[in-house]
Amino acid sequence: MARAFGGPWTEDKLEIVERYLEAYMTIMRGNEKARRFTTTYVDAFAGPGLRQIATSAGEPGLFDGQDDGEITEFYRGSAYRAMSISLPFDRYVFVDSDRTALEELKQLIRERFSDLKATVHLGDANEVLPRWVKTLSPFDRAVVFLDPYAMQVEWNTIEVLSEAKGLDLWLLVPIGALMRLLPHEPPPSAWVRRLDRFFGSHEWYDRVYMHQSHNTLFGPEENVERLASPGRLAEYMLERLSGPFKFVLKTPYLLYNSKGACLFMLCFAATNKKGGELAVKIAGDIAGKHRHG
C-alpha cells in the first residue's frame, strides 16, 4: 500500500530532484573521465516508493453506483523516480525507519526494477549514513537526498556527509516545524536541546530571540522579543551549510502550502572541488525554471 502524505508542494520538490538526477547521470555517462567513477543514489527517507492522495471528486458519478466522494490518486515517490531515470545509477541505497514501508519498497524493486543494484536498510538515517560514508572510495560519486518529514536529520549527519569527496546533497529543511518550536516566549529546555541537535549549535537562539533589560518603578525587568521568521531561519540554515560545504545553492527552493505558509526549504550543496560549482549552477537552473514555470 502506498503511503498517504504530501500535496502539490511534494510534487514540486520531487520533480526538481528527479530532473537533477537526469542531468547528473547524463554528465557522468557522457564524460569519459567521469565514467570511471561508481555512482550511487542515496535516499535516507525512502518510504514505499509510491504515495497516495485522496482527493474530492467534485462531480457526480458518471455511472450509477460510482463513489463520487473521494478519488485516490497514486504518485511516484522519490525512490521510484530515481530508479526510473533514463540513465540509472550504478547503485541505489534506500533507508527508512518504517519496516512496512521498506517491505513495500522491496516488493516494488522486485516487480519493476529488478535489473538495478539496490540495497534497502532499516534504521535511523543518522546512524546508517555515517556507516555508509566510511565505505566510499576515491572512485565513488554520490547524490544524497535527505527528505525528512520533520526534524529527523541531525547536524552531525550533515557534517559527516560534507567530509565525503564527490558528494551532492539535496536537503529538505522543515521551516514550518522549526517555527512551531519557536514560540513567542523562549522554548522549554527539551525543545532547545532538539534545536541544538538540528542546527549543531546553540547560536540559533540569539538569531531568533532578543533579550532587553530596562528599569521600572519595581526594579529591572527583562523582555524577550521573538525575531523568528521563515526568512530568518532560511538565511541561518544556509549560513550553517556554507560552513562544512564549499558549494551551496544560495537561492533554495521554498515550498508553500495552499494558504501561502512556508513549509519547507529545498537546499542543495556539493563537496566536489572540481565539479561542485557546476553542480550548484545546474541545481539552481533546474529550481529556477521550476519556480518560474
Side-chain angles (χ1 to χ4, degrees):
M1 178 184 293
R3 180 184 288 172
F5 66 90
W9 54 268
T10 301
E11 287 298 291
D12 287 344
K13 70 177 179 184
L14 295 182
E15 286 179 12
I16 290 171
V17 174
E18 181 180 11
R19 290 176 186 175
Y20 182 80
L21 298 181
E22 287 279 10
Y24 180 90
M25 288 309 299
T26 297
I27 294 174
M28 296 302 290
R29 292 291 184 254
N31 185 294
E32 183 177 352
K33 291 183 178 181
R35 284 198 293 269
R36 65 193 177 110
F37 293 108
T38 298
T39 58
T40 304
Y41 171 77
V42 182
D43 192 331
F45 298 88
L50 290 171
R51 64 187 186 90
Q52 64 183 29
I53 296 180
T55 59
S56 174
E59 298 289 344
L62 296 176
F63 306 100
D64 291 341
Q66 178 178 332
D67 182 5
D68 58 0
E70 285 190 341
I71 297 176
T72 299
E73 297 183 6
F74 291 89
Y75 293 85
R76 300 179 305 152
S78 54
Y80 193 115
R81 288 170 179 262
M83 291 186 288
S84 298
I85 61 176
S86 56
L87 298 171
F89 283 73
D90 295 314
R91 295 189 298 227
Y92 290 86
V93 177
F94 299 115
V95 183
D96 205 294
S97 59
D98 186 329
R99 185 181 299 274
T100 300
L102 285 189
E103 289 302 320
E104 294 175 19
L105 180 58
K106 288 180 182 179
Q107 181 178 348
L108 175 68
I109 294 171
R110 287 193 297 267
E111 293 177 352
R112 303 196 185 188
F113 303 102
S114 59
D115 58 324
L116 299 180
K117 187 176 181 180
T119 57
V120 177
H121 302 271
L122 176 67
D124 184 341
N126 297 295
E127 298 175 359
V128 176
L129 290 181
R131 294 199 299 267
W132 168 76
V133 168
K134 291 180 180 179
T135 68
L136 298 179
S137 77
F139 293 98
D140 282 304
R141 294 292 180 267
V143 178
V144 177
F145 184 31
L146 297 184
D147 183 24
Y149 305 112
M151 296 171 57
Q152 290 90 343
V153 178
E154 298 185 357
W155 189 255
N156 287 342
T157 302
I158 303 296
E159 289 187 322
V160 168
L161 292 174
S162 73
E163 295 170 359
K165 295 181 179 179
L167 183 144
D168 293 356
L169 172 66
W170 284 97
L171 170 66
L172 195 71
V173 179
I175 297 294
L178 290 171
M179 287 296 295
R180 287 193 292 274
L181 290 183
L182 297 170
H184 288 281
E185 296 295 326
S189 57
W191 293 11
V192 170
R193 290 192 297 270
R194 184 69 191 89
L195 289 161
D196 286 350
R197 292 196 302 272
F198 179 81
F199 286 117
S201 167
H202 190 65
E203 183 186 43
W204 62 268
Y205 187 90
D206 293 329
R207 294 295 189 96
V208 299
Y209 290 105
M210 182 172 65
H211 290 254
Q212 292 182 325
S213 298
H214 60 276
N215 294 319
T216 71
L217 293 174
F218 304 99
E221 287 187 358
E222 185 175 79
N223 293 332
V224 179
E225 180 182 357
R226 189 184 74 160
L227 306 175
S229 68
R232 183 177 287 267
L233 290 177
E235 180 181 316
Y236 179 60
M237 192 63 192
L238 288 178
E239 287 182 21
R240 294 292 297 152
L241 278 176
S242 297
F245 284 90
K246 184 176 181 180
F247 305 97
V248 176
L249 179 63
K250 302 301 182 183
T251 54
Y253 191 88
L254 300 179
L255 299 154
Y256 299 87
N257 64 13
S258 59
K259 297 181 180 180
C262 183
L263 297 178
F264 296 97
M265 175 176 71
L266 183 61
C267 299
F268 179 83
T271 66
N272 193 338
K273 293 181 179 180
K274 293 184 177 180
E277 189 173 345
L278 175 60
V280 168
K281 182 181 185 306
I282 293 172
D285 288 346
I286 291 172
K289 288 178 181 178
H290 198 83
R291 186 183 291 113
H292 299 110

